[in-house]
Amino acid sequence: MKKIKLDENFPPDFVSLFQTNLIDASSVYHQNISGSQDNYVFKICKEESRVLVTFDLDFANILRYPADDTAGIIVCRLRKKINLDYIRELSIMLVKVISEHELSGKLFIVEDNKVRIRNPDEGNRPS
């Protein structure tokens, strides 16, 4: 079962959407680490072997947050105005991405209509 941690961009109750799709989901809210420094959240995800799922574009910086020795990183780069319905639609798309791809060691950039995968061995490629 794949393991993810939702950053504070996702409401805490969205964890259940992933869990009902057989994804072991946790949230920074459930661990009382919302508002923590990015480095700390990154460290916790690595220790727990969880894929970090976030809207925080800082995590797309491969020099600062290299995905190659993690369970993976998914950064949502969104252009639409964000509301609960939009986050729900995005979460459904993320369930598909998580279920269909090997995540370990990769950085995923999820945009409104596409997913880019950065594999350290292959560079960037559209999905």
CSV table of all heavy atoms in Angstrom, one decimal, residues 11-65:
chain,number,residue,atom,x,y,z
A,11,PRO,N,-7.6,20.1,3.3
A,11,PRO,CA,-8.3,20.0,4.6
A,11,PRO,C,-8.1,18.6,5.2
A,11,PRO,O,-8.0,17.6,4.5
A,11,PRO,CB,-9.8,20.2,4.1
A,11,PRO,CG,-9.7,20.9,2.8
A,11,PRO,CD,-8.4,20.4,2.2
A,12,PRO,N,-8.1,18.5,6.5
A,12,PRO,CA,-7.8,17.2,7.2
A,12,PRO,C,-8.7,16.1,6.8
A,12,PRO,O,-8.3,14.9,6.8
A,12,PRO,CB,-7.9,17.6,8.7
A,12,PRO,CG,-7.8,19.0,8.8
A,12,PRO,CD,-8.2,19.6,7.5
A,13,ASP,N,-10.0,16.4,6.6
A,13,ASP,CA,-11.0,15.3,6.2
A,13,ASP,C,-10.7,14.7,4.8
A,13,ASP,O,-11.3,13.7,4.5
A,13,ASP,CB,-12.4,15.8,6.4
A,13,ASP,CG,-12.7,17.0,5.5
A,13,ASP,OD1,-11.8,17.8,5.2
A,13,ASP,OD2,-13.9,17.2,5.2
A,14,PHE,N,-9.9,15.3,4.0
A,14,PHE,CA,-9.6,14.7,2.7
A,14,PHE,C,-8.8,13.5,2.8
A,14,PHE,O,-8.7,12.7,1.9
A,14,PHE,CB,-8.9,15.8,1.8
A,14,PHE,CG,-9.9,16.7,1.1
A,14,PHE,CD1,-10.8,17.4,1.8
A,14,PHE,CD2,-9.9,16.8,-0.3
A,14,PHE,CE1,-11.7,18.3,1.2
A,14,PHE,CE2,-10.8,17.6,-0.9
A,14,PHE,CZ,-11.7,18.4,-0.2
A,15,VAL,N,-8.2,13.2,4.0
A,15,VAL,CA,-7.4,12.0,4.2
A,15,VAL,C,-8.3,10.8,3.8
A,15,VAL,O,-7.9,9.8,3.2
A,15,VAL,CB,-6.9,11.9,5.6
A,15,VAL,CG1,-6.4,10.5,6.0
A,15,VAL,CG2,-5.8,12.9,5.8
A,16,SER,N,-9.6,10.8,4.2
A,16,SER,CA,-10.5,9.7,4.0
A,16,SER,C,-10.7,9.4,2.5
A,16,SER,O,-10.9,8.3,2.1
A,16,SER,CB,-11.8,9.9,4.7
A,16,SER,OG,-12.4,11.0,4.2
A,17,LEU,N,-10.7,10.4,1.7
A,17,LEU,CA,-10.8,10.2,0.3
A,17,LEU,C,-9.7,9.3,-0.3
A,17,LEU,O,-10.0,8.4,-1.1
A,17,LEU,CB,-10.8,11.6,-0.5
A,17,LEU,CG,-11.1,11.5,-2.0
A,17,LEU,CD1,-11.9,12.8,-2.4
A,17,LEU,CD2,-9.9,11.4,-2.8
A,18,PHE,N,-8.5,9.5,0.2
A,18,PHE,CA,-7.4,8.7,-0.2
A,18,PHE,C,-7.5,7.3,0.4
A,18,PHE,O,-7.2,6.3,-0.2
A,18,PHE,CB,-6.1,9.4,0.1
A,18,PHE,CG,-5.8,10.6,-0.7
A,18,PHE,CD1,-6.2,11.8,-0.3
A,18,PHE,CD2,-5.2,10.5,-2.0
A,18,PHE,CE1,-6.0,13.0,-1.0
A,18,PHE,CE2,-5.0,11.6,-2.7
A,18,PHE,CZ,-5.4,12.9,-2.3
A,19,GLN,N,-7.8,7.2,1.7
A,19,GLN,CA,-7.9,6.0,2.4
A,19,GLN,C,-9.0,5.0,1.8
A,19,GLN,O,-8.7,3.8,1.7
A,19,GLN,CB,-8.2,6.2,3.9
A,19,GLN,CG,-7.0,6.8,4.6
A,19,GLN,CD,-7.3,7.2,6.0
A,19,GLN,OE1,-8.5,7.4,6.4
A,19,GLN,NE2,-6.3,7.4,6.8
A,20,THR,N,-10.1,5.6,1.3
A,20,THR,CA,-11.1,4.7,0.7
A,20,THR,C,-10.6,4.2,-0.7
A,20,THR,O,-11.2,3.3,-1.2
A,20,THR,CB,-12.4,5.5,0.5
A,20,THR,OG1,-12.2,6.6,-0.3
A,20,THR,CG2,-13.0,5.9,1.8
A,21,ASN,N,-9.5,4.8,-1.2
A,21,ASN,CA,-9.0,4.3,-2.4
A,21,ASN,C,-7.7,3.5,-2.2
A,21,ASN,O,-6.8,3.5,-3.0
A,21,ASN,CB,-8.7,5.5,-3.4
A,21,ASN,CG,-10.0,6.0,-4.0
A,21,ASN,OD1,-10.5,5.4,-4.9
A,21,ASN,ND2,-10.5,7.1,-3.5
A,22,LEU,N,-7.6,2.9,-1.0
A,22,LEU,CA,-6.5,2.0,-0.6
A,22,LEU,C,-5.1,2.7,-0.6
A,22,LEU,O,-4.1,2.1,-1.0
A,22,LEU,CB,-6.5,0.8,-1.5
A,22,LEU,CG,-7.8,0.0,-1.5
A,22,LEU,CD1,-7.7,-1.2,-2.4
A,22,LEU,CD2,-8.2,-0.5,-0.1
A,23,ILE,N,-5.1,3.9,-0.2
A,23,ILE,CA,-3.8,4.7,0.0
A,23,ILE,C,-3.7,5.0,1.4
A,23,ILE,O,-4.7,5.6,2.0
A,23,ILE,CB,-3.8,6.0,-0.9
A,23,ILE,CG1,-3.9,5.6,-2.4
A,23,ILE,CG2,-2.6,6.8,-0.6
A,23,ILE,CD1,-4.2,6.8,-3.3
A,24,ASP,N,-2.6,4.7,2.0
A,24,ASP,CA,-2.4,5.0,3.4
A,24,ASP,C,-2.0,6.4,3.6
A,24,ASP,O,-0.9,6.9,3.4
A,24,ASP,CB,-1.2,4.1,3.9
A,24,ASP,CG,-0.8,4.3,5.4
A,24,ASP,OD1,-1.3,5.3,6.0
A,24,ASP,OD2,0.0,3.6,5.9
A,25,ALA,N,-3.1,7.2,3.9
A,25,ALA,CA,-2.9,8.7,3.9
A,25,ALA,C,-2.9,9.2,5.3
A,25,ALA,O,-3.6,8.7,6.2
A,25,ALA,CB,-4.1,9.3,3.2
A,26,SER,N,-2.0,10.2,5.5
A,26,SER,CA,-1.9,10.9,6.8
A,26,SER,C,-1.9,12.4,6.4
A,26,SER,O,-1.8,12.8,5.3
A,26,SER,CB,-0.6,10.5,7.5
A,26,SER,OG,-0.4,11.2,8.7
A,27,SER,N,-2.0,13.2,7.4
A,27,SER,CA,-2.0,14.7,7.2
A,27,SER,C,-1.1,15.4,8.3
A,27,SER,O,-1.0,14.9,9.4
A,27,SER,CB,-3.4,15.2,7.4
A,27,SER,OG,-3.5,16.6,7.5
A,28,VAL,N,-0.5,16.5,7.9
A,28,VAL,CA,0.3,17.2,8.8
A,28,VAL,C,-0.6,17.7,10.0
A,28,VAL,O,-0.1,17.9,11.1
A,28,VAL,CB,1.0,18.5,8.2
A,28,VAL,CG1,2.0,18.0,7.2
A,28,VAL,CG2,0.0,19.4,7.5
A,29,TYR,N,-1.9,17.9,9.7
A,29,TYR,CA,-2.8,18.2,10.8
A,29,TYR,C,-3.0,17.1,11.9
A,29,TYR,O,-3.0,17.4,13.1
A,29,TYR,CB,-4.2,18.6,10.3
A,29,TYR,CG,-4.3,19.8,9.5
A,29,TYR,CD1,-4.4,19.8,8.1
A,29,TYR,CD2,-4.1,21.1,10.1
A,29,TYR,CE1,-4.5,21.0,7.3
A,29,TYR,CE2,-4.2,22.3,9.3
A,29,TYR,CZ,-4.3,22.2,8.0
A,29,TYR,OH,-4.4,23.3,7.2
A,30,HIS,N,-3.0,15.9,11.4
A,30,HIS,CA,-3.2,14.7,12.3
A,30,HIS,C,-1.9,14.5,13.2
A,30,HIS,O,-2.0,13.9,14.3
A,30,HIS,CB,-3.5,13.5,11.5
A,30,HIS,CG,-4.9,13.5,10.9
A,30,HIS,ND1,-5.0,13.4,9.5
A,30,HIS,CD2,-6.1,13.7,11.4
A,30,HIS,CE1,-6.3,13.6,9.2
A,30,HIS,NE2,-7.0,13.8,10.4
A,31,GLN,N,-0.8,15.0,12.7
A,31,GLN,CA,0.4,14.9,13.5
A,31,GLN,C,0.8,16.2,14.3
A,31,GLN,O,1.8,16.3,14.9
A,31,GLN,CB,1.6,14.5,12.6
A,31,GLN,CG,1.7,13.1,12.2
A,31,GLN,CD,3.0,12.8,11.5
A,31,GLN,OE1,3.2,13.4,10.4
A,31,GLN,NE2,3.8,11.9,12.0
A,32,ASN,N,-0.1,17.1,14.2
A,32,ASN,CA,0.1,18.4,14.8
A,32,ASN,C,1.4,19.1,14.3
A,32,ASN,O,2.2,19.7,15.2
A,32,ASN,CB,0.1,18.3,16.3
A,32,ASN,CG,-1.3,17.9,16.8
A,32,ASN,OD1,-2.3,18.4,16.3
A,32,ASN,ND2,-1.3,17.0,17.8
A,33,ILE,N,1.7,19.0,13.0
A,33,ILE,CA,2.9,19.6,12.5
A,33,ILE,C,2.6,20.6,11.4
A,33,ILE,O,3.5,21.0,10.7
A,33,ILE,CB,4.0,18.6,12.0
A,33,ILE,CG1,3.4,17.7,10.9
A,33,ILE,CG2,4.5,17.8,13.2
A,33,ILE,CD1,4.5,16.8,10.2
A,34,SER,N,1.3,21.0,11.3
A,34,SER,CA,0.9,22.0,10.3
A,34,SER,C,1.6,23.3,10.8
A,34,SER,O,1.8,23.6,12.0
A,34,SER,CB,-0.6,22.2,10.2
A,34,SER,OG,-1.1,22.6,11.4
A,35,GLY,N,2.1,24.1,9.8
A,35,GLY,CA,2.8,25.3,10.1
A,35,GLY,C,4.3,25.1,10.4
A,35,GLY,O,5.0,26.1,10.6
A,36,SER,N,4.7,23.9,10.4
A,36,SER,CA,6.2,23.6,10.6
A,36,SER,C,7.0,24.0,9.4
A,36,SER,O,6.5,24.2,8.3
A,36,SER,CB,6.4,22.1,10.8
A,36,SER,OG,5.8,21.7,12.0
A,37,GLN,N,8.3,24.2,9.6
A,37,GLN,CA,9.2,24.5,8.6
A,37,GLN,C,9.2,23.4,7.5
A,37,GLN,O,9.0,22.2,7.8
A,37,GLN,CB,10.6,24.7,9.1
A,37,GLN,CG,10.7,25.9,10.1
A,37,GLN,CD,10.6,27.2,9.3
A,37,GLN,OE1,11.1,27.4,8.2
A,37,GLN,NE2,9.9,28.1,10.0
A,38,ASP,N,9.4,23.8,6.2
A,38,ASP,CA,9.4,22.8,5.1
A,38,ASP,C,10.4,21.7,5.4
A,38,ASP,O,10.2,20.6,5.1
A,38,ASP,CB,9.7,23.5,3.8
A,38,ASP,CG,8.6,24.4,3.3
A,38,ASP,OD1,7.5,24.3,3.9
A,38,ASP,OD2,8.8,25.1,2.3
A,39,ASN,N,11.6,22.1,5.9
A,39,ASN,CA,12.7,21.1,6.1
A,39,ASN,C,12.2,20.0,7.1
A,39,ASN,O,12.5,18.9,6.9
A,39,ASN,CB,13.9,21.8,6.7
A,39,ASN,CG,14.7,22.6,5.6
A,39,ASN,OD1,14.5,22.3,4.4
A,39,ASN,ND2,15.5,23.5,6.1
A,40,TYR,N,11.4,20.4,8.1
A,40,TYR,CA,11.0,19.5,9.1
A,40,TYR,C,9.9,18.5,8.5
A,40,TYR,O,10.0,17.3,8.7
A,40,TYR,CB,10.4,20.2,10.3
A,40,TYR,CG,9.9,19.3,11.4
A,40,TYR,CD1,10.9,18.6,12.1
A,40,TYR,CD2,8.6,19.1,11.7
A,40,TYR,CE1,10.5,17.7,13.1
A,40,TYR,CE2,8.2,18.2,12.7
A,40,TYR,CZ,9.1,17.5,13.4
A,40,TYR,OH,8.7,16.7,14.4
A,41,VAL,N,9.0,19.1,7.7
A,41,VAL,CA,8.0,18.3,7.1
A,41,VAL,C,8.6,17.3,6.1
A,41,VAL,O,8.3,16.1,6.1
A,41,VAL,CB,6.9,19.1,6.4
A,41,VAL,CG1,6.0,18.3,5.5
A,41,VAL,CG2,6.2,20.0,7.4
A,42,PHE,N,9.6,17.7,5.4
A,42,PHE,CA,10.4,16.9,4.4
A,42,PHE,C,11.1,15.8,5.2
A,42,PHE,O,11.0,14.6,4.8
A,42,PHE,CB,11.4,17.8,3.7
A,42,PHE,CG,12.2,17.0,2.7
A,42,PHE,CD1,11.6,16.6,1.5
A,42,PHE,CD2,13.6,16.8,2.9
A,42,PHE,CE1,12.4,16.0,0.5
A,42,PHE,CE2,14.3,16.2,1.9
A,42,PHE,CZ,13.7,15.7,0.7
A,43,LYS,N,11.7,16.1,6.3
A,43,LYS,CA,12.4,15.1,7.1
A,43,LYS,C,11.4,14.0,7.7
A,43,LYS,O,11.7,12.8,7.6
A,43,LYS,CB,13.1,15.8,8.3
A,43,LYS,CG,13.8,14.9,9.3
A,43,LYS,CD,14.4,15.7,10.4
A,43,LYS,CE,14.8,14.9,11.6
A,43,LYS,NZ,13.9,14.8,12.6
A,44,ILE,N,10.3,14.5,8.2
A,44,ILE,CA,9.3,13.6,8.7
A,44,ILE,C,8.8,12.6,7.6
A,44,ILE,O,8.6,11.4,7.8
A,44,ILE,CB,8.1,14.3,9.3
A,44,ILE,CG1,8.5,15.1,10.6
A,44,ILE,CG2,6.9,13.4,9.6
A,44,ILE,CD1,9.0,14.2,11.7
A,45,CYS,N,8.5,13.1,6.4
A,45,CYS,CA,8.1,12.3,5.3
A,45,CYS,C,9.1,11.2,4.9
A,45,CYS,O,8.8,10.1,4.7
A,45,CYS,CB,7.7,13.1,4.1
A,45,CYS,SG,6.2,14.1,4.3
A,46,LYS,N,10.4,11.7,4.9
A,46,LYS,CA,11.4,10.7,4.7
A,46,LYS,C,11.5,9.6,5.7
A,46,LYS,O,11.6,8.4,5.4
A,46,LYS,CB,12.8,11.4,4.6
A,46,LYS,CG,13.0,12.1,3.3
A,46,LYS,CD,14.3,12.9,3.2
A,46,LYS,CE,15.5,12.0,3.3
A,46,LYS,NZ,16.8,12.6,3.0
A,47,GLU,N,11.4,10.0,7.0
A,47,GLU,CA,11.5,9.0,8.1
A,47,GLU,C,10.3,8.1,8.0
A,47,GLU,O,10.5,6.9,8.4
A,47,GLU,CB,11.5,9.8,9.4
A,47,GLU,CG,12.8,10.5,9.7
A,47,GLU,CD,12.7,11.4,11.0
A,47,GLU,OE1,11.6,11.4,11.6
A,47,GLU,OE2,13.7,12.0,11.3
A,48,GLU,N,9.2,8.5,7.6
A,48,GLU,CA,8.0,7.7,7.6
A,48,GLU,C,7.8,7.0,6.2
A,48,GLU,O,6.8,6.2,6.1
A,48,GLU,CB,6.7,8.5,7.9
A,48,GLU,CG,6.7,9.1,9.3
A,48,GLU,CD,5.5,10.0,9.5
A,48,GLU,OE1,4.7,10.3,8.5
A,48,GLU,OE2,5.3,10.4,10.6
A,49,SER,N,8.7,7.2,5.3
A,49,SER,CA,8.6,6.7,3.9
A,49,SER,C,7.2,7.0,3.3
A,49,SER,O,6.5,6.2,2.8
A,49,SER,CB,8.8,5.2,3.9
A,49,SER,OG,10.1,4.9,4.4
A,50,ARG,N,6.8,8.3,3.5
A,50,ARG,CA,5.6,8.8,2.9
A,50,ARG,C,5.9,9.8,1.8
A,50,ARG,O,6.8,10.6,1.9
A,50,ARG,CB,4.7,9.5,3.9
A,50,ARG,CG,4.1,8.5,4.9
A,50,ARG,CD,3.1,9.3,5.8
A,50,ARG,NE,2.6,8.3,6.8
A,50,ARG,CZ,1.5,7.5,6.6
A,50,ARG,NH1,0.9,7.5,5.4
A,50,ARG,NH2,1.1,6.7,7.5
A,51,VAL,N,5.1,9.7,0.7
A,51,VAL,CA,5.1,10.7,-0.3
A,51,VAL,C,4.5,12.0,0.2
A,51,VAL,O,3.4,12.0,0.7
A,51,VAL,CB,4.3,10.2,-1.6
A,51,VAL,CG1,4.3,11.2,-2.7
A,51,VAL,CG2,4.9,8.8,-2.1
A,52,LEU,N,5.2,13.1,0.0
A,52,LEU,CA,4.6,14.4,0.4
A,52,LEU,C,3.8,14.9,-0.7
A,52,LEU,O,4.2,14.9,-1.9
A,52,LEU,CB,5.8,15.4,0.7
A,52,LEU,CG,5.3,16.8,1.0
A,52,LEU,CD1,4.4,16.9,2.2
A,52,LEU,CD2,6.5,17.7,1.1
A,53,VAL,N,2.5,15.3,-0.4
A,53,VAL,CA,1.6,15.9,-1.4
A,53,VAL,C,1.3,17.3,-1.0
A,53,VAL,O,0.8,17.5,0.1
A,53,VAL,CB,0.3,15.0,-1.5
A,53,VAL,CG1,-0.6,15.6,-2.6
A,53,VAL,CG2,0.6,13.6,-1.8
A,54,THR,N,1.7,18.3,-1.8
A,54,THR,CA,1.7,19.7,-1.4
A,54,THR,C,1.4,20.6,-2.5
A,54,THR,O,1.6,20.2,-3.7
A,54,THR,CB,3.0,20.0,-0.7
A,54,THR,OG1,2.9,21.4,-0.2
A,54,THR,CG2,4.2,19.9,-1.6
A,55,PHE,N,0.9,21.8,-2.2
A,55,PHE,CA,0.8,22.9,-3.1
A,55,PHE,C,2.0,23.8,-3.1
A,55,PHE,O,2.2,24.7,-3.9
A,55,PHE,CB,-0.4,23.8,-2.8
A,55,PHE,CG,-1.7,23.1,-3.0
A,55,PHE,CD1,-1.9,21.8,-3.4
A,55,PHE,CD2,-2.9,23.9,-2.7
A,55,PHE,CE1,-3.2,21.3,-3.5
A,55,PHE,CE2,-4.2,23.3,-2.8
A,55,PHE,CZ,-4.3,22.0,-3.2
A,56,ASP,N,2.9,23.6,-2.1
A,56,ASP,CA,4.1,24.4,-1.9
A,56,ASP,C,5.1,24.2,-3.0
A,56,ASP,O,5.8,23.2,-3.0
A,56,ASP,CB,4.7,24.1,-0.5
A,56,ASP,CG,5.8,25.0,-0.1
A,56,ASP,OD1,6.4,25.7,-0.9
A,56,ASP,OD2,6.0,25.1,1.1
A,57,LEU,N,5.3,25.2,-3.8
A,57,LEU,CA,6.2,25.1,-5.0
A,57,LEU,C,7.7,25.0,-4.6
A,57,LEU,O,8.5,24.6,-5.4
A,57,LEU,CB,6.0,26.2,-5.9
A,57,LEU,CG,4.6,26.3,-6.6
A,57,LEU,CD1,4.5,27.6,-7.5
A,57,LEU,CD2,4.3,25.1,-7.4
A,58,ASP,N,8.0,25.3,-3.3
A,58,ASP,CA,9.4,25.2,-2.8
A,58,ASP,C,9.8,23.8,-3.0
A,58,ASP,O,11.0,23.5,-3.2
A,58,ASP,CB,9.5,25.7,-1.4
A,58,ASP,CG,9.3,27.2,-1.2
A,58,ASP,OD1,9.4,27.9,-2.3
A,58,ASP,OD2,9.1,27.6,-0.1
A,59,PHE,N,8.9,22.8,-2.8
A,59,PHE,CA,9.3,21.4,-2.8
A,59,PHE,C,9.7,20.9,-4.3
A,59,PHE,O,10.1,19.8,-4.4
A,59,PHE,CB,8.2,20.5,-2.2
A,59,PHE,CG,8.2,20.6,-0.7
A,59,PHE,CD1,7.3,21.4,-0.1
A,59,PHE,CD2,9.2,20.0,0.1
A,59,PHE,CE1,7.2,21.5,1.3
A,59,PHE,CE2,9.2,20.1,1.4
A,59,PHE,CZ,8.2,20.9,2.1
A,60,ALA,N,9.4,21.7,-5.3
A,60,ALA,CA,9.8,21.4,-6.6
A,60,ALA,C,11.3,21.7,-6.9
A,60,ALA,O,11.8,21.4,-7.9
A,60,ALA,CB,8.9,22.2,-7.6
A,61,ASN,N,11.9,22.4,-5.9
A,61,ASN,CA,13.4,22.7,-6.0
A,61,ASN,C,14.2,21.4,-5.7
A,61,ASN,O,14.3,21.0,-4.6
A,61,ASN,CB,13.7,23.8,-5.0
A,61,ASN,CG,15.2,24.2,-5.1
A,61,ASN,OD1,16.0,23.4,-5.5
A,61,ASN,ND2,15.4,25.4,-4.7
A,62,ILE,N,14.7,20.8,-6.8
A,62,ILE,CA,15.3,19.5,-6.6
A,62,ILE,C,16.7,19.6,-5.9
A,62,ILE,O,17.2,18.6,-5.4
A,62,ILE,CB,15.5,18.8,-8.0
A,62,ILE,CG1,16.3,19.6,-8.9
A,62,ILE,CG2,14.1,18.4,-8.5
A,62,ILE,CD1,16.7,18.9,-10.2
A,63,LEU,N,17.3,20.8,-5.9
A,63,LEU,CA,18.5,20.9,-5.2
A,63,LEU,C,18.3,21.0,-3.7
A,63,LEU,O,19.0,20.5,-2.9
A,63,LEU,CB,19.3,22.2,-5.6
A,63,LEU,CG,19.7,22.2,-7.1
A,63,LEU,CD1,20.3,23.5,-7.5
A,63,LEU,CD2,20.6,21.0,-7.4
A,64,ARG,N,17.2,21.7,-3.3
A,64,ARG,CA,16.9,21.8,-1.9
A,64,ARG,C,16.2,20.6,-1.3
A,64,ARG,O,16.4,20.2,-0.2
A,64,ARG,CB,16.0,23.1,-1.7
A,64,ARG,CG,15.9,23.4,-0.2
A,64,ARG,CD,15.3,24.8,-0.1
A,64,ARG,NE,15.2,25.2,1.3
A,64,ARG,CZ,14.6,26.2,1.8
A,64,ARG,NH1,13.9,27.0,1.0
A,64,ARG,NH2,14.5,26.4,3.1
A,65,TYR,N,15.3,20.0,-2.1
A,65,TYR,CA,14.5,18.9,-1.7
A,65,TYR,C,14.6,17.8,-2.7
A,65,TYR,O,13.7,17.5,-3.5
A,65,TYR,CB,13.0,19.3,-1.5
A,65,TYR,CG,12.8,20.3,-0.5
A,65,TYR,CD1,12.6,21.7,-0.8
A,65,TYR,CD2,13.0,20.0,0.9
A,65,TYR,CE1,12.4,22.6,0.1
A,65,TYR,CE2,12.9,21.0,1.9
A,65,TYR,CZ,12.6,22.3,1.5
A,65,TYR,OH,12.4,23.3,2.4
